[in-house]
Amino acid sequence: MVLCFPFKQYFGRAEIDTEPRTFIHLVRHGEAYHNLGHFNGKINPRSYDIQDPYLTCKGIEQAKSTREQMTKRCLVPNIVLTSPLLRTLETTLHIFPFANDGSDYSQPQIVAYDDLRESGAYLCNVRQTTLDLANSYEHKGVDFTALSPIAPPMKSIIRTKQRAEIVRKQIMAISKLIKKGGGFWKGVYIQGTVQNTGRMQMKQDVHIVVVSHGSFMEYLLPPELAEIQARGDEDICNE
């Protein structure tokens, strides 16, 4: 599922109309193995005991389908922020594959960000060590610089609602960096959009993709869009 909406309308104060716009594209990961085994609205706790599960075959197809949707919205976003759990990393790389895999499009900057992880004290929400993640995915274009070397504990002292507010502020900070021409964020250099064309500087709209999880996105989204996400609508773009 992809949600796309103007950043300034929900995450910050309104900007002057002449300023470039920022669009946030929210993507939920595809089906993973911990999503199986639940029937008639009843949760099977054993499914959540799978540590950091991979995508199922269906989940891979869902991610590839999302790739087609994303190319219609923004061919190459400025940056992709992804939860470091395997199901979100795999979803991200199926949507934005490494350039050497035969893709016709350039891979955007992809940065793993711990605060995008899922809520809920379950084993399925505990990620691998940063070193293991880097060994498995760094060569595929994912930057793990912003992660702590040690995975966050299963039970965090920061409530999910507070973490969502932190994420919103960090997205605002990244958007400003991009519009200013680039800069460092959590040790990662973020590329800017300002282009010099002779005497003039052209500013482009900013597109930030966030790949996260269903429950956490309910906290991250504005209430009206959270209702849409809960219904499972798959193609919403309020531009």
Side-chain angles (χ1 to χ4, degrees):
M1 181 189 70
V2 180
L3 295 176
C4 169
F5 51 90
F7 175 81
K8 65 182 180 181
Q9 183 176 353
Y10 296 106
F11 283 3
R13 298 174 60 185
E15 299 176 359
I16 301 173
D17 290 339
T18 56
E19 287 294 310
R21 300 169 299 173
T22 298
F23 292 92
I24 310 300
H25 306 264
L26 297 182
V27 181
R28 180 187 180 273
H29 65 80
E31 180 188 77
Y33 282 98
H34 74 300
N35 296 129
L36 303 179
H38 311 292
F39 299 101
N40 298 323
K42 295 182 179 180
I43 294 175
N44 178 7
R46 294 183 63 183
S47 295
Y48 287 171
D49 286 339
I50 304 172
Q51 183 172 355
D52 203 4
Y54 290 91
L55 293 180
T56 63
C57 292
K58 179 181 178 180
I60 292 173
E61 291 305 313
Q62 289 172 333
K64 290 180 178 179
S65 175
T66 301
R67 178 181 178 182
E68 296 175 3
Q69 296 180 44
M70 285 302 307
T71 56
K72 298 175 183 177
R73 293 188 168 89
C74 60
L75 201 57
V76 181
N78 298 88
I79 189 170
V80 179
L81 301 174
T82 177
S83 157
L85 291 170
L86 296 183
R87 53 193 183 270
T88 41
L89 288 171
E90 287 194 328
T91 298
T92 298
L93 289 171
H94 280 295
I95 300 173
F96 304 104
F98 189 58
N100 287 345
D101 75 341
S103 172
D104 295 330
Y105 309 111
S106 300
Q107 186 185 50
Q109 184 176 17
I110 300 174
V111 178
Y113 179 25
D114 261 328
D115 283 341
L116 290 174
R117 67 189 185 278
E118 180 62 298
S119 59
Y122 300 104
L123 197 58
C124 60
N125 297 331
V126 178
R127 71 165 170 85
Q128 298 183 17
T129 67
T130 303
L131 180 60
D132 287 341
L133 289 172
N135 288 337
S136 298
Y137 293 99
E138 203 165 48
H139 67 285
K140 296 182 180 180
V142 183
D143 190 332
F144 296 98
T145 304
L147 297 188
S148 166
I150 302 174
M154 187 184 302
K155 293 184 178 181
S156 175
I157 59 174
I158 301 177
R159 293 182 179 274
T160 305
K161 186 176 181 180
Q162 293 174 299
R163 181 156 55 89
E165 181 60 30
I166 291 171
V167 169
R168 285 193 288 269
K169 290 180 179 179
Q170 291 301 317
I171 292 175
M172 290 179 69
I174 291 171
S175 173
K176 290 178 180 178
L177 272 180
I178 293 172
K179 290 180 180 180
K180 289 180 179 179
F184 283 94
W185 174 81
K186 294 184 178 293
V188 179
Y189 185 78
I190 308 296
Q191 299 286 341
T193 60
V194 177
Q195 295 182 352
N196 290 316
T197 57
R199 295 182 179 179
M200 298 180 62
Q201 284 189 335
M202 296 181 61
K203 293 185 178 181
Q204 303 171 340
D205 287 342
V206 174
H207 291 268
I208 299 174
V209 175
V210 176
V211 185
S212 189
H213 307 264
S215 295
F216 181 68
M217 282 172 57
E218 291 181 10
Y219 290 90
L220 187 61
L221 283 169
E224 58 270 36
L225 291 183
E227 292 178 5
I228 295 174
Q229 191 267 350
R231 292 201 304 267
D233 296 343
E234 294 186 351
D235 192 10
I236 304 108
C237 187
N238 296 326
E239 298 187 21

